[in-house]
Tab-separated table of all heavy atoms in Angstrom:
chain	number	residue	atom	x	y	z
A	1	SER	N	-16.599	-30.745	51.115
A	1	SER	CA	-17.701	-31.288	50.347
A	1	SER	C	-19.008	-30.629	50.838
A	1	SER	O	-19.056	-30.078	51.940
A	1	SER	CB	-17.787	-32.816	50.504
A	1	SER	OG	-18.049	-33.167	51.877
A	2	ILE	N	-20.038	-30.745	50.029
A	2	ILE	CA	-21.260	-30.060	50.405
A	2	ILE	C	-22.018	-30.757	51.537
A	2	ILE	O	-22.952	-30.186	52.056
A	2	ILE	CB	-22.210	-29.930	49.146
A	2	ILE	CG1	-22.461	-31.305	48.505
A	2	ILE	CG2	-21.630	-28.970	48.134
A	2	ILE	CD1	-23.418	-31.243	47.356
A	3	ASP	N	-21.540	-31.931	51.966
A	3	ASP	CA	-22.155	-32.573	53.112
A	3	ASP	C	-21.443	-32.183	54.424
A	3	ASP	O	-21.707	-32.761	55.477
A	3	ASP	CB	-22.189	-34.087	52.941
A	3	ASP	CG	-20.778	-34.718	52.914
A	3	ASP	OD1	-19.801	-33.981	52.914
A	3	ASP	OD2	-20.715	-35.980	52.870
A	4	GLY	N	-20.537	-31.223	54.337
A	4	GLY	CA	-19.883	-30.693	55.544
A	4	GLY	C	-18.505	-31.234	55.843
A	4	GLY	O	-17.866	-30.816	56.821
A	5	ARG	N	-17.999	-32.119	55.034
A	5	ARG	CA	-16.677	-32.687	55.281
A	5	ARG	C	-15.599	-31.683	54.943
A	5	ARG	O	-15.707	-30.922	53.976
A	5	ARG	CB	-16.512	-33.918	54.448
A	5	ARG	CG	-15.261	-34.738	54.784
A	5	ARG	CD	-15.210	-35.978	53.948
A	5	ARG	NE	-14.209	-36.882	54.438
A	5	ARG	CZ	-13.842	-37.984	53.823
A	5	ARG	NH1	-14.459	-38.333	52.672
A	5	ARG	NH2	-12.916	-38.764	54.317
A	6	ARG	N	-14.526	-31.631	55.730
A	6	ARG	CA	-13.429	-30.719	55.507
A	6	ARG	C	-12.093	-31.466	55.633
A	6	ARG	O	-11.964	-32.424	56.385
A	6	ARG	CB	-13.449	-29.563	56.514
A	6	ARG	CG	-14.732	-28.713	56.494
A	6	ARG	CD	-14.820	-27.929	55.188
A	6	ARG	NE	-16.004	-27.095	55.113
A	6	ARG	CZ	-17.164	-27.444	54.537
A	6	ARG	NH1	-17.288	-28.658	53.983
A	6	ARG	NH2	-18.214	-26.626	54.521
A	7	GLY	N	-11.115	-31.010	54.845
A	7	GLY	CA	-9.809	-31.641	54.884
A	7	GLY	C	-8.786	-30.766	54.196
A	7	GLY	O	-9.029	-29.573	53.898
A	8	ARG	N	-7.601	-31.324	53.946
A	8	ARG	CA	-6.525	-30.587	53.303
A	8	ARG	C	-5.767	-31.500	52.334
A	8	ARG	O	-5.711	-32.700	52.516
A	8	ARG	CB	-5.504	-30.053	54.347
A	8	ARG	CG	-5.972	-28.849	55.144
A	8	ARG	CD	-4.875	-28.380	56.087
A	8	ARG	NE	-5.232	-27.164	56.781
A	8	ARG	CZ	-5.939	-27.119	57.904
A	8	ARG	NH1	-6.373	-28.247	58.461
A	8	ARG	NH2	-6.213	-25.954	58.473
A	9	VAL	N	-5.181	-30.872	51.352
A	9	VAL	CA	-4.211	-31.501	50.479
A	9	VAL	C	-2.890	-30.728	50.635
A	9	VAL	O	-2.862	-29.516	50.451
A	9	VAL	CB	-4.628	-31.506	48.989
A	9	VAL	CG1	-3.564	-32.177	48.151
A	9	VAL	CG2	-5.991	-32.194	48.822
A	10	ARG	N	-1.849	-31.449	51.008
A	10	ARG	CA	-0.499	-30.842	51.143
A	10	ARG	C	0.337	-31.340	49.991
A	10	ARG	O	0.414	-32.544	49.715
A	10	ARG	CB	0.112	-31.200	52.494
A	10	ARG	CG	-0.616	-30.553	53.662
A	10	ARG	CD	0.059	-30.901	54.997
A	10	ARG	NE	-0.549	-30.157	56.102
A	10	ARG	CZ	-1.644	-30.522	56.751
A	10	ARG	NH1	-2.243	-31.655	56.403
A	10	ARG	NH2	-2.113	-29.790	57.746
A	11	ALA	N	1.021	-30.418	49.336
A	11	ALA	CA	1.813	-30.767	48.170
A	11	ALA	C	3.030	-29.836	48.094
A	11	ALA	O	3.141	-28.849	48.824
A	11	ALA	CB	0.985	-30.636	46.901
A	12	ARG	N	3.942	-30.180	47.176
A	12	ARG	CA	5.108	-29.340	46.959
A	12	ARG	C	4.811	-28.172	46.017
A	12	ARG	O	5.291	-27.084	46.190
A	12	ARG	CB	6.256	-30.189	46.416
A	12	ARG	CG	6.769	-31.223	47.415
A	12	ARG	CD	7.557	-32.332	46.712
A	12	ARG	NE	8.700	-31.832	45.985
A	12	ARG	CZ	9.395	-32.558	45.098
A	12	ARG	NH1	8.994	-33.800	44.820
A	12	ARG	NH2	10.427	-32.036	44.496
A	13	HIS	N	3.982	-28.466	45.047
A	13	HIS	CA	3.536	-27.412	44.094
A	13	HIS	C	2.031	-27.563	43.854
A	13	HIS	O	1.471	-28.642	43.960
A	13	HIS	CB	4.301	-27.553	42.767
A	13	HIS	CG	5.669	-26.977	42.821
A	13	HIS	ND1	5.990	-25.684	42.492
A	13	HIS	CD2	6.853	-27.566	43.208
A	13	HIS	CE1	7.299	-25.478	42.645
A	13	HIS	NE2	7.836	-26.595	43.082
A	14	TYR	N	1.443	-26.394	43.550
A	14	TYR	CA	-0.027	-26.300	43.358
A	14	TYR	C	-0.315	-25.631	42.030
A	14	TYR	O	0.365	-24.694	41.628
A	14	TYR	CB	-0.670	-25.509	44.486
A	14	TYR	CG	-0.457	-26.099	45.886
A	14	TYR	CD1	0.756	-25.892	46.555
A	14	TYR	CD2	-1.443	-26.883	46.484
A	14	TYR	CE1	0.954	-26.441	47.817
A	14	TYR	CE2	-1.258	-27.415	47.743
A	14	TYR	CZ	-0.063	-27.199	48.398
A	14	TYR	OH	0.134	-27.751	49.649
A	15	VAL	N	-1.372	-26.083	41.355
A	15	VAL	CA	-1.839	-25.463	40.103
A	15	VAL	C	-3.322	-25.194	40.247
A	15	VAL	O	-4.109	-26.090	40.572
A	15	VAL	CB	-1.578	-26.379	38.894
A	15	VAL	CG1	-2.149	-25.731	37.630
A	15	VAL	CG2	-0.124	-26.671	38.721
A	16	LEU	N	-3.725	-23.976	39.947
A	16	LEU	CA	-5.148	-23.638	39.801
A	16	LEU	C	-5.524	-23.780	38.340
A	16	LEU	O	-4.981	-23.086	37.481
A	16	LEU	CB	-5.413	-22.192	40.294
A	16	LEU	CG	-5.147	-21.918	41.755
A	16	LEU	CD1	-5.513	-20.470	42.084
A	16	LEU	CD2	-5.879	-22.892	42.676
A	17	ALA	N	-6.418	-24.700	38.066
A	17	ALA	CA	-6.891	-24.922	36.674
A	17	ALA	C	-8.406	-25.045	36.678
A	17	ALA	O	-8.987	-25.949	36.064
A	17	ALA	CB	-6.235	-26.192	36.124
A	18	ALA	N	-9.046	-24.093	37.391
A	18	ALA	CA	-10.496	-24.186	37.649
A	18	ALA	C	-11.309	-23.271	36.765
A	18	ALA	O	-12.509	-23.144	37.016
A	18	ALA	CB	-10.738	-23.886	39.121
A	19	GLY	N	-10.697	-22.618	35.774
A	19	GLY	CA	-11.481	-21.767	34.893
A	19	GLY	C	-11.244	-20.286	35.107
A	19	GLY	O	-10.728	-19.873	36.146
A	20	GLY	N	-11.679	-19.492	34.137
A	20	GLY	CA	-11.377	-18.047	34.128
A	20	GLY	C	-12.033	-17.281	35.282
A	20	GLY	O	-11.523	-16.233	35.653
A	21	ILE	N	-13.138	-17.791	35.837
A	21	ILE	CA	-13.757	-17.099	36.967
A	21	ILE	C	-13.282	-17.712	38.286
A	21	ILE	O	-12.903	-17.014	39.207
A	21	ILE	CB	-15.296	-17.213	36.863
A	21	ILE	CG1	-15.790	-16.426	35.638
A	21	ILE	CG2	-15.963	-16.733	38.128
A	21	ILE	CD1	-17.287	-16.501	35.403
A	22	GLU	N	-13.255	-19.057	38.349
A	22	GLU	CA	-12.973	-19.699	39.630
A	22	GLU	C	-11.497	-19.593	40.020
A	22	GLU	O	-11.186	-19.554	41.226
A	22	GLU	CB	-13.359	-21.186	39.536
A	22	GLU	CG	-13.776	-21.799	40.858
A	22	GLU	CD	-15.064	-21.234	41.430
A	22	GLU	OE1	-15.754	-20.459	40.703
A	22	GLU	OE2	-15.399	-21.564	42.583
A	23	ASN	N	-10.585	-19.520	39.084
A	23	ASN	CA	-9.158	-19.301	39.455
A	23	ASN	C	-9.014	-18.023	40.249
A	23	ASN	O	-8.339	-17.973	41.306
A	23	ASN	CB	-8.296	-19.207	38.206
A	23	ASN	CG	-8.012	-20.569	37.594
A	23	ASN	OD1	-8.240	-21.615	38.221
A	23	ASN	ND2	-7.471	-20.585	36.386
A	24	ALA	N	-9.646	-16.954	39.777
A	24	ALA	CA	-9.568	-15.671	40.498
A	24	ALA	C	-10.307	-15.746	41.838
A	24	ALA	O	-9.815	-15.257	42.858
A	24	ALA	CB	-10.198	-14.566	39.666
A	25	ARG	N	-11.427	-16.463	41.860
A	25	ARG	CA	-12.166	-16.555	43.118
A	25	ARG	C	-11.376	-17.247	44.186
A	25	ARG	O	-11.360	-16.813	45.353
A	25	ARG	CB	-13.467	-17.327	42.852
A	25	ARG	CG	-14.384	-17.446	44.075
A	25	ARG	CD	-15.505	-18.423	43.857
A	25	ARG	NE	-16.453	-18.477	44.963
A	25	ARG	CZ	-17.257	-19.494	45.208
A	25	ARG	NH1	-17.237	-20.549	44.415
A	25	ARG	NH2	-18.090	-19.452	46.228
A	26	ILE	N	-10.670	-18.355	43.838
A	26	ILE	CA	-9.917	-19.098	44.835
A	26	ILE	C	-8.806	-18.214	45.388
A	26	ILE	O	-8.503	-18.199	46.605
A	26	ILE	CB	-9.349	-20.370	44.216
A	26	ILE	CG1	-10.495	-21.331	43.884
A	26	ILE	CG2	-8.380	-21.068	45.180
A	26	ILE	CD1	-10.107	-22.527	43.032
A	27	LEU	N	-8.094	-17.449	44.521
A	27	LEU	CA	-7.053	-16.548	45.008
A	27	LEU	C	-7.609	-15.489	45.947
A	27	LEU	O	-7.025	-15.163	46.975
A	27	LEU	CB	-6.331	-15.922	43.827
A	27	LEU	CG	-5.476	-16.833	42.968
A	27	LEU	CD1	-4.941	-16.106	41.754
A	27	LEU	CD2	-4.300	-17.390	43.809
């Protein structure tokens, strides 16, 4: 978060659905 908090999400499968620019950025 922008206030400095950090964490993780653990899952069996992941989907990037953040848009045409942000999907590439995350990868």
Side-chain angles (χ1 to χ4, degrees):
S1 62
I2 54 177
D3 65 354
R5 190 177 192 188
R6 300 292 182 265
R8 285 184 175 85
V9 179
R10 292 182 173 84
R12 293 161 61 193
H13 283 267
Y14 300 80
V15 177
L16 297 182
I21 294 177
E22 209 68 8
N23 283 347
R25 183 191 185 201
I26 294 168
L27 290 173

